[in-house]
Amino acid sequence: MIRRWNPPGVAAPLSQYSHLVSVPSDHELVLISGQFGLLPDGTLAGVDAETQSLQIFLNIETLLASMGAGPDNLVRLFTMVTGTEHLEGSRRARHQVFARWYPDGGYPAHSIAVLDALTTPELNVQIDGVAAIPARILTEQADGLPLTEAMEIV
């Protein structure tokens, strides 16, 4: 079981994250590349940080589901926003999604950085992550195919 905790001796988390997360030995770490607020057809979900963040979390949930996993398997997220003016919208989205994903707390580790820009001006938020997936799940089906057939090897 993935363990999340906040030990005494350090200040409580300022927001929705755990100071420490440990992964059991029967899990594999899967890195989730930075996600943008793009719909499945590649168009931008919206121009504001809240809409983009909501789509990013949906994309992450879809990526996790493709491996037979879910938000409980996330051990770390890293959010990047382009300017402090986008922080509040991204935070609103995170609070909304985390209320559904983690109703009892137990959040993944999470850091936020404010950048000058992402790859194109209309992108306001990018989130990447790390998930811990039980090794047995990675050998099972993904999207109806054995995982080795479902993956594109690069």
Side-chain angles (χ1 to χ4, degrees), residues 1-52:
M1 170 171 36
I2 296 169
R3 188 171 151 223
R4 300 166 171 89
W5 74 102
N6 300 301
V10 296
L14 296 175
S15 189
Q16 296 173 299
Y17 63 90
S18 297
H19 282 303
L20 297 170
V21 178
S22 67
V23 177
S25 62
D26 63 343
H27 284 55
E28 291 188 39
L29 293 180
V30 176
L31 306 178
I32 301 169
S33 289
Q35 297 296 301
F36 298 112
L38 301 176
L39 298 167
D41 67 3
T43 60
L44 194 59
V47 296
D48 62 287
E50 184 171 0
T51 302
Q52 289 183 23

Side-chain angles (χ1 to χ4, degrees), residues 66-145:
S66 78
M67 296 180 288
D72 283 345
N73 296 97
L74 287 171
V75 295
R76 177 159 173 61
L77 292 170
F78 179 54
T79 300
M80 295 158 275
V81 298
T82 58
T84 56
E85 66 273 18
H86 298 298
L87 280 171
E88 188 54 38
S90 185
R91 284 183 180 140
R92 276 193 306 270
R94 186 187 70 233
H95 283 282
Q96 180 182 336
V97 171
F98 277 21
R100 181 171 54 85
W101 283 3
Y102 309 106
D104 299 322
Y107 306 112
H110 186 210
S111 298
I112 299 174
V114 178
L115 311 173
D116 287 334
L118 291 167
T119 55
T120 59
E122 60 274 0
L123 298 173
N124 299 319
V125 183
Q126 179 178 345
I127 303 174
D128 65 38
V130 178
I133 313 295
R136 66 177 168 68
I137 289 178
L138 290 177
T139 61
E140 295 173 359
Q141 300 273 329
D143 289 336
L145 296 171

